[in-house]
Amino acid sequence: MSLDKDQVQHIAMLARLKLSDAELVQSVEKLSRIVDFVDQLAAADTDGVVPMAHPLDAAQRLRPDVVTDSNERDRFQQNSAAVADGLYLVPKVIE
Amino acid sequence: MMELYTQTLNELSLGLEHGDFTSVELTQALLARIAAHNEKLNAFVTITSDEALAAAERADDARAKGRAGILNGLPIVHKDIFCTRGIKTSCGSRMLDNFISPYDATVVEKLAAAGAVVLGKANMDEFAMGSSNETSFYGAVKNPWDLSCSPGGSSGGSSAAVAARFTPAATGTDTGGSIRQPAALTGTVGIKPTYGRVSRYGMVAFASSLDQAGVITRTAEDAARLLGVMAGFDERDSTSIDQAVPDYTAEIGKSIKGLRVGIVRQHFDAGLDEQTGVRVKEAIAVLESMGATAIEVNLPNIDLSVPTYYVVAPAECSSNLSRFDGVRFGYRAENPEDLLDLYCRSRGEGFGDEVKRRIMTGAYVLSAGYYDAYYLKAQQVRALIADDFKKAFADVDVIAGPTVPAPAFKLGDKVDDPIQMYLNDIYTIGANLAGLPAISIPCGFVNELPVGLHLVGAHFAEASLLRAAHQYQQQTDFHRACPEGFQ
């Protein structure tokens, strides 16, 4: 196994994913196989190759800095599980 | 008259023009067919009967007033990855099972403006991550050619719906083969345009440097008509390319005499099912008989395309899917202990196994100490692969080969082995890495299951691909074959 339980637990925390014990065991096995598989890239000779930034070598376009959207907060907040007075509610962060 | 459901978009369009039937009648006929047969396939997440009938009425009204658009009153199905205002947009995930999109994707908007009638939203692999449709929260889609087989993925609901004659056309998206592989496995036509050709605005993001929208149809002619409507610059997509859209429908009528067809040796190696290879070679011979020339070309780094993809795509997915936090929209876990618990449990419970696996792969390859070895290295190999294609397209107009290594596989066969599943996209991923357009068209059968011919073109060469595909379909009738039980 190229990854161990602690490493996968750490990755899951970085990705903000809660895994059950069974999921963790399964993830160690499957992620290890994926990592082993992509490790074949190491053998490729890429000396001096510029990493691709865009498939068509296009540059990022900028738009004029003007307001183009209207305020539709109430409509958008209909998709949230917990809102009040236009605010999104989350568990208490500051004691 | 031919049954309406058997007809292509082009044929239906003529029928509507001639007044043989109305869009309301057509829509009713297809909705009835979907209601009768969808249970066998599970091709839909949502069927939008009321909205479809209302749109059909508007289309009939517009036609009566002489204001018919190019798709006026014609049916389409959207992959459930495209945001549709007021209608659930699930992306095949529990995470978005409760999400009612507050806006339309550009693709949805453009097709509606041309008069198209949306019959429903197609099932798909969760967040487009899968090659079999088995990762969908709503259950696997079945292949109309053999109900025990996968219709491919991730656009498997789209491909099954088109193959089963529920609709003449469906939208799809393709990040590593997700339009072309399902098209091949269901005997339909699937085109993935050049990166940036069709707007990604309102298309739920998976891997933003690879994702591209396209269509699944039964004929290249129908694909040309739809792509002409969908393509074009959109200021709301920062990677949209500002380039004129050719008249694809006019282009496809031209001869393919003199077309240079590249053949890549590795595409016919040991990994390819022998009979599938025979069908593909027969198809290339048909193109040659019509005046095309086959030339061997070399893509020295193409064997690295799958590992390259499985670094780049998960990396981008882990970044894109970080927006699902259980706060603003999407699934939210019950009774969180604190904010971290809210994030981790909403995501842990809202995402399925494959999505979690890809997010974690991405988080790993982007994490401190591994970024250079994996992500940067993969983007370098990606540059090599793109350069190989560029050199090849100096000598040929299209590259032809198999779309997938073998015909449709059984549901359940590959689900426990991610690497085997990933290798199903071995011939299609290169086009995504290099941003190239590519198409899959039906070219025969092996054991009564369809085989796809894959054509890849240079950037913005969609017209050449559609022309080769259309001319091939003038000489063959594989695209007319209808799966038993759906005639």
Side-chain angles (χ1 to χ4, degrees):
Chain A
M1 291 286 168
S2 45
L3 297 177
D4 61 31
K5 236 175 168 169
D6 289 346
Q7 277 175 301
V8 172
Q9 192 70 269
H10 174 65
I11 297 164
M13 180 46 71
L14 289 176
R16 297 291 184 265
L17 289 169
K18 172 128 182 150
L19 300 183
S20 67
D21 292 343
E23 281 180 313
L24 182 62
V25 171
Q26 203 205 46
S27 298
V28 171
E29 192 249 319
K30 289 195 172 161
L31 285 180
S32 291
R33 278 164 62 193
I34 293 168
V35 168
D36 290 345
F37 177 71
V38 300
D39 269 341
Q40 60 183 294
L41 290 177
D45 181 3
T46 53
D47 276 357
V49 177
V50 180
M52 183 188 275
H54 189 290
L56 276 82
D57 284 331
Q60 190 72 16
R61 196 159 29 79
L62 298 176
R63 66 165 178 83
D65 186 17
V66 292
V67 177
T68 54
D69 275 340
S70 53
N71 184 357
E72 298 187 68
R73 185 182 66 189
D74 294 346
R75 200 160 66 81
F76 295 159
Q77 286 197 329
Q78 286 171 10
N79 271 307
S80 177
V83 290
D85 304 328
L87 303 170
Y88 292 99
L89 303 185
V90 295
K92 198 168 174 183
V93 186
I94 302 163
E95 290 303 328
Chain B
M1 185 173 67
M2 262 163 68
E3 288 285 1
L4 293 180
Y5 63 80
T6 63
Q7 298 185 33
T8 64
L9 273 186
N10 198 49
E11 290 160 352
L12 292 170
S13 177
L14 290 172
L16 286 168
E17 262 173 52
H18 295 161
D20 298 342
F21 49 87
T22 65
S23 177
V24 168
E25 287 164 352
L26 169 61
T27 306
Q28 280 167 339
L30 292 175
L31 287 172
R33 185 166 166 80
I34 292 167
H37 296 282
N38 181 50
E39 211 167 289
K40 282 184 261 179
L41 299 180
N42 194 28
F44 287 87
V45 173
T46 307
I47 298 165
T48 52
S49 307
D50 294 346
E51 292 86 350
L53 288 168
E57 269 178 40
R58 287 196 300 274
D60 285 334
D61 190 48
R63 186 176 303 280
K65 291 182 175 141
R67 291 199 316 260
I70 183 152
L71 300 174
N72 196 70
L74 293 171
I76 193 156
V77 167
H78 285 304
K79 183 177 184 179
D80 208 18
I81 197 168
F82 291 98
C83 283
T84 41
R85 186 171 174 147
I87 294 165
K88 176 161 104 171
T89 300
S90 74
C91 221
S93 181
R94 181 185 195 188
M95 182 59 86
L96 290 175
D97 182 49
N98 61 2
F99 180 67
I100 307 295
S101 174
Y103 70 108
D104 276 333
T106 296
V107 162
V108 171
E109 213 173 77
K110 282 185 150 187
L111 290 169
V117 171
V118 181
L119 301 174
K121 306 284 301 280
N123 200 348
M124 56 180 284
D125 277 301
E126 184 179 8
F127 284 102
M129 297 173 201
S131 305
S132 68
N133 228 287
E134 289 164 290
T135 73
S136 170
F137 175 60
Y138 303 95
V141 178
K142 292 170 184 115
N143 191 323
W145 290 95
D146 178 343
L147 299 180
S148 67
C149 286
S150 164
S154 65
S155 310
S158 299
S159 69
V162 173
R165 275 65 178 166
F166 291 170
T167 174
T171 52
T173 60
D174 191 314
T175 305
S178 278
I179 287 175
R180 294 160 287 155
Q181 183 254 17
L185 300 190
T186 58
T188 52
V189 173
I191 184 165
K192 176 204 96 73
T194 306
Y195 181 73
R197 176 80 287 187
V198 175
S199 172
R200 293 184 297 111
Y201 177 78
M203 192 174 111
V204 180
F206 161 13
S208 301
S209 78
L210 303 162
D211 295 343
Q212 180 60 197
V215 285
I216 294 178
T217 56
R218 292 195 291 270
T219 64
E221 190 177 34
D222 284 356
R225 178 191 281 244
L226 286 169
L227 190 59
V229 174
M230 290 163 65
F233 177 66
D234 180 10
E235 61 179 14
R236 296 178 296 186
D237 170 0
S238 66
T239 56
S240 171
I241 305 285
D242 194 357
Q243 190 162 319
V245 179
D247 182 349
Y248 298 121
T249 301
E251 291 287 328
I252 60 170
K254 296 176 185 166
S255 149
I256 60 162
K257 201 165 171 14
L259 186 81
R260 299 166 302 166
V261 179
I263 313 291
V264 181
R265 187 184 40 77
Q266 293 102 311
H267 287 172
F268 293 89
D269 274 355
L272 178 66
D273 164 65
E274 198 188 322
Q275 283 305 305
T276 299
V278 171
R279 292 292 94 78
V280 170
K281 282 178 183 158
E282 287 167 358
I284 292 167
V286 170
L287 295 176
E288 285 183 280
S289 75
M290 297 167 70
T293 319
I295 301 165
E296 190 163 324
V297 291
N298 197 14
L299 298 175
N301 296 289
I302 197 71
D303 290 343
L304 290 172
S305 60
V306 183
T308 301
Y309 178 87
Y310 279 97
V311 171
V312 175
E316 295 183 9
C317 122
S318 79
S319 168
N320 272 326
L321 271 61
S322 64
R323 75 190 62 183
F324 299 101
D325 56 6
V327 176
R328 292 155 303 156
F329 58 94
Y331 177 82
R332 181 182 176 113
E334 299 277 344
N335 306 317
E337 280 170 30
D338 54 24
L339 189 58
L340 188 63
D341 188 50
L342 171 66
Y343 291 152
C344 292
R345 278 207 293 120
S346 295
R347 293 164 61 79
E349 294 164 18
F351 292 134
D353 289 346
E354 180 63 23
V355 171
K356 281 189 264 197
R357 204 144 50 224
R358 298 217 195 172
I359 291 174
M360 287 193 284
T361 307
Y364 177 70
V365 300
L366 290 175
S367 62
Y370 296 101
Y371 180 86
D372 286 3
Y374 289 108
Y375 189 69
L376 211 62
K377 182 83 180 180
Q379 291 288 44
Q380 286 178 310
V381 177
R382 190 176 171 189
L384 292 176
I385 293 169
D387 198 47
D388 289 348
F389 274 109
K390 198 173 171 186
K391 285 177 185 148
F393 284 121
D395 299 324
V396 297
D397 302 304
V398 300
I399 291 174
T403 310
V404 271
F409 49 91
K410 297 277 182 198
L411 288 162
D413 256 14
K414 296 182 198 279
V415 77
D416 289 325
D417 187 345
I419 304 298
Q420 275 313 305
M421 189 69 92
Y422 296 174
L423 286 171
N424 215 250
D425 293 331
I426 191 163
Y427 306 130
T428 49
I429 278 175
N432 299 82
L433 292 173
L436 301 165
I439 193 169
S440 178
I441 53 173
C443 72
F445 294 85
V446 171
N447 299 329
E448 294 173 22
L449 289 170
V451 174
L453 170 71
H454 190 224
L455 301 173
V456 185
H459 290 136
F460 297 104
E462 285 83 0
S464 303
L465 299 179
L466 289 164
R467 178 163 58 102
H470 177 66
Q471 293 301 325
Y472 176 81
Q473 291 190 321
Q474 301 310 295
Q475 302 294 319
T476 57
D477 56 6
F478 303 119
H479 60 287
R480 287 187 223 282
C482 182
E484 223 178 284
F486 294 92
Q487 274 115 343

